[in-house]
């Protein structure tokens, strides 16, 4: 297999934010699903994040060595969640594997290489590096450190970087094997030392021409955040229905991404069908998720990652959801009458 970087995001429901970042940082998403357990809630959540990010998806059916493995049931469950595997006439690869015995791992790696070749993934190493922060922390004896993924260019020791709203001069690069290296090219994960403070996970980084330029930009960004905090807004506001009223100013057709939550499945289906029937020359509707139940932090994280709006019908919000929505800049609208929900969306789409 060619050099590849694997970014592992835990499957537990508490790690929603990490899965959201993982889908946005990668080119190919490998969803590991147990063939005996089938599709679980966190699997559905990961599917939605991968679909929202628009990345290539490969299914790894794990635990195929067990007698209780039921691949046909798993494929049926995947189909119910808009994942049609090749065996069933779709285009998504599905590789049977066993983490216990190692069976099928070579086939999975070959499939990853095939998908990467079809995507024609390329990056120019001969330019200043840019990429994203995977994780960051304050480490004893090292100070602020950040594990970053280089998406383009080559990151070198001595480079001046802006990382989120902080800057620094790279003192050391540490590989995934714990060894110090001098440079890291495209698609390389590396830990960097030399930052002035701890950036946020998911923040972008880029190499600047000098310490002076990096420091100046960092101070400007920090000052802007302080001003936003004083004005009561700490994050940039994402898409809202009100924004669409000015859609005529855009040259390209806009996409309205929605997450729908309702009290019963019948309402969910009625709302989704009604919204899909709205026609507009300016805006196209994309329903990322439509489920039954209260609006949760997971819904907010999906909306944040995909710049979507959450619409609730006869449903409430779980504890902490309001705070998460405010922090992420996500709009949540609650309705008790379906007609009002449909009318609001239709009015916004048609301006």
């Amino acid at each position: 297999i060619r050099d590849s970087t694997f970014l592992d995001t835990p499957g537990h429901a508490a790690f929603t934010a990490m899965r959201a970042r993982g889908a946005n940082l990668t080119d190919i998403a490998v969803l590991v699903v147990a063939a005996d357990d089938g599709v679980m809630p966190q699997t559905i959540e990961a599917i939605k994040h991968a679909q929202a990010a628009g990345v290539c998806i490969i299914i790894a059916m794990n635990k195929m060595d067990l007698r209780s493995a039921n691949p046909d049931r798993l494929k049926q469950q995947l189909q119910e969640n808009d994942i049609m595997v090749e065996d069933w006439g779709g285009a998504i690869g599905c590789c049977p594997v066993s983490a216990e015995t190692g069976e099928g791992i070579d086939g999975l790696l070959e499939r990853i290489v095939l998908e990467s070749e079809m995507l024609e993934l390329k990056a120019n190493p001969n330019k200043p590096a840019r990429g994203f922060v995977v994780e960051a922390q304050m480490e004893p004896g090292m100070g602020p450190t950040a594990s970053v993924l280089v998406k383009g260019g080559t990151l070198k020791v001595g480079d001046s970087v802006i990382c989120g709203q902080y800057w620094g001069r790279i003192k050391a690069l540490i590989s995934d094997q714990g060894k110090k290296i001098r440079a890291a090219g495209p698609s390389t994960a590396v830990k960097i030392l030399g930052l002035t403070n701890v950036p946020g996970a998911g923040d972008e980084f880029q190499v600047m021409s000098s310490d002076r330029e990096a420091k100046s930009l960092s101070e400007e960004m920090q000052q802007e955040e302080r001003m936003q905090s004083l004005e009561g807004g700490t994050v940039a506001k994402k898409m809202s229905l009100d924004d669409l009223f000015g859609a005529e100013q855009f040259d390209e057709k806009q996409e309205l991404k929605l997450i729908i939550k309702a009290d019963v499945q019948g309402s969910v289906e009625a709302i989704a069908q009604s919204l899909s029937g709205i026609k507009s020359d300016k805006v196209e509707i994309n329903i990322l998720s439509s489920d039954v139940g209260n609006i949760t932090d997971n819904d907010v994280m999906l909306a944040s990652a995909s710049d979507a709006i959450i619409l609730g019908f006869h449903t409430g919000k779980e504890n902490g959801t309001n705070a998460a929505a405010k922090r992420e800049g996500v709009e949540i609208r609650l309705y008790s009458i379906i007609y009002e929900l449909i009318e609001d969306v239709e009015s916004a789409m048609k301006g």
Side-chain angles (χ1 to χ4, degrees), residues 83-103:
I83 297 293
M84 184 71 76
V85 298
E86 287 177 336
D87 293 352
W88 287 31
I92 293 178
C94 187
C95 303
V97 300
S98 169
E100 180 70 23
T101 66
E103 180 185 359

Side-chain angles (χ1 to χ4, degrees), residues 80-156:
E80 292 170 358
N81 288 278
D82 299 323
I83 297 293
M84 184 71 76
V85 298
E86 287 177 336
D87 293 352
W88 287 31
I92 293 178
C94 187
C95 303
V97 300
S98 169
E100 180 70 23
T101 66
E103 180 185 359
I105 299 299
D106 288 342
L108 175 61
L109 296 178
E110 289 174 3
R111 181 65 190 229
I112 293 173
V113 172
L114 175 63
E115 294 288 358
S116 66
E117 290 177 346
M118 293 178 64
L119 291 171
E120 297 183 344
L121 301 175
K122 297 178 181 178
N124 181 6
N126 302 315
K127 66 177 185 178
R130 62 173 184 81
F132 297 90
V133 176
V134 177
E135 198 56 82
Q137 58 188 326
M138 184 71 73
E139 295 191 53
M142 293 186 181
T145 67
S147 298
V148 302
L149 180 63
V150 182
K151 296 288 285 184
T154 299
L155 186 63
K156 309 182 189 71

Side-chain angles (χ1 to χ4, degrees), residues 20-195:
R21 291 198 299 272
N24 287 321
L25 295 181
T26 55
D27 300 300
I28 298 173
V30 180
L31 301 182
V32 182
V33 190
D36 57 341
D37 291 335
V39 173
M40 306 297 283
Q42 55 263 38
T43 308
I44 297 173
E45 180 190 306
I47 288 171
K48 291 174 182 176
H49 283 305
Q51 290 174 330
V55 297
C56 171
I57 297 174
I58 299 174
I59 304 297
M61 289 194 302
N62 193 24
K63 299 186 179 181
M64 289 295 290
D65 56 303
L66 301 180
R67 290 185 177 181
S68 55
N70 191 339
D72 288 336
R73 184 189 61 151
L74 174 56
K75 292 173 184 178
Q76 174 65 39
Q77 292 174 331
L78 289 170
Q79 182 182 10
E80 292 170 358
N81 288 278
D82 299 323
I83 297 293
M84 184 71 76
V85 298
E86 287 177 336
D87 293 352
W88 287 31
I92 293 178
C94 187
C95 303
V97 300
S98 169
E100 180 70 23
T101 66
E103 180 185 359
I105 299 299
D106 288 342
L108 175 61
L109 296 178
E110 289 174 3
R111 181 65 190 229
I112 293 173
V113 172
L114 175 63
E115 294 288 358
S116 66
E117 290 177 346
M118 293 178 64
L119 291 171
E120 297 183 344
L121 301 175
K122 297 178 181 178
N124 181 6
N126 302 315
K127 66 177 185 178
R130 62 173 184 81
F132 297 90
V133 176
V134 177
E135 198 56 82
Q137 58 188 326
M138 184 71 73
E139 295 191 53
M142 293 186 181
T145 67
S147 298
V148 302
L149 180 63
V150 182
K151 296 288 285 184
T154 299
L155 186 63
K156 309 182 189 71
V157 173
D159 279 345
S160 300
V161 298
I162 183 77
C163 195
Q165 61 177 346
Y166 302 113
W167 77 283
R169 189 172 188 184
I170 304 297
K171 294 179 180 178
L173 297 173
I174 302 176
S175 72
D176 59 323
Q177 297 178 340
K179 298 179 181 179
K180 288 189 175 182
I181 57 178
R182 299 294 302 176
S187 192
T188 301
V190 65
K191 178 183 289 187
I192 62 175
L193 282 68
L195 299 175

Side-chain angles (χ1 to χ4, degrees), residues 87-315:
D87 293 352
W88 287 31
I92 293 178
C94 187
C95 303
V97 300
S98 169
E100 180 70 23
T101 66
E103 180 185 359
I105 299 299
D106 288 342
L108 175 61
L109 296 178
E110 289 174 3
R111 181 65 190 229
I112 293 173
V113 172
L114 175 63
E115 294 288 358
S116 66
E117 290 177 346
M118 293 178 64
L119 291 171
E120 297 183 344
L121 301 175
K122 297 178 181 178
N124 181 6
N126 302 315
K127 66 177 185 178
R130 62 173 184 81
F132 297 90
V133 176
V134 177
E135 198 56 82
Q137 58 188 326
M138 184 71 73
E139 295 191 53
M142 293 186 181
T145 67
S147 298
V148 302
L149 180 63
V150 182
K151 296 288 285 184
T154 299
L155 186 63
K156 309 182 189 71
V157 173
D159 279 345
S160 300
V161 298
I162 183 77
C163 195
Q165 61 177 346
Y166 302 113
W167 77 283
R169 189 172 188 184
I170 304 297
K171 294 179 180 178
L173 297 173
I174 302 176
S175 72
D176 59 323
Q177 297 178 340
K179 298 179 181 179
K180 288 189 175 182
I181 57 178
R182 299 294 302 176
S187 192
T188 301
V190 65
K191 178 183 289 187
I192 62 175
L193 282 68
L195 299 175
T196 56
N197 210 330
V198 180
D203 284 352
E204 290 188 52
F205 82 85
Q206 61 178 328
V207 172
M208 310 300 289
S209 60
S210 65
D211 288 357
R212 178 179 295 180
E213 183 183 9
K215 183 178 180 180
S216 175
L217 181 56
S218 173
E219 291 174 347
E220 182 180 325
M221 294 172 70
Q222 291 179 57
Q223 177 63 24
E224 183 178 345
E225 181 175 350
R226 283 193 291 268
M227 293 299 295
Q228 288 179 340
S229 297
L230 291 174
E231 294 169 2
T234 58
V235 295
K237 189 173 182 294
K238 293 182 169 62
M239 172 68 77
S240 71
L241 289 183
D242 293 337
D243 294 336
L244 294 178
F245 282 106
E248 65 270 11
Q249 64 182 299
F250 298 106
D251 295 331
E252 298 181 359
K253 193 171 186 178
Q254 299 297 292
E255 182 180 25
L256 174 58
K257 299 177 183 177
L258 299 175
I259 293 172
I260 300 169
K261 299 299 287 282
D263 54 344
V264 294
Q265 189 61 40
S267 296
V268 170
E269 294 173 356
I271 293 170
Q273 184 175 2
S274 298
L275 292 178
S276 299
I278 300 175
K279 304 300 179 183
S280 171
D281 295 331
K282 298 185 299 182
V283 183
E284 180 179 356
I285 285 183
N286 180 5
I287 299 176
L288 301 180
S289 171
S290 54
D291 294 313
V292 172
N294 287 334
I295 297 169
T296 67
D297 286 356
N298 290 352
D299 297 320
V300 172
M301 292 308 303
L302 176 58
S304 177
S306 54
D307 197 16
I309 300 168
I310 301 175
L311 303 179
F313 175 72
H314 274 296
T315 189

Side-chain angles (χ1 to χ4, degrees), residues 234-235 297 300 317-330 332:
T234 58
V235 295
D297 286 356
V300 172
K317 308 173 190 175
E318 291 191 353
N319 291 336
T321 301
N322 275 336
K326 183 177 181 181
R327 183 177 65 250
E328 298 294 331
V330 170
I332 299 177

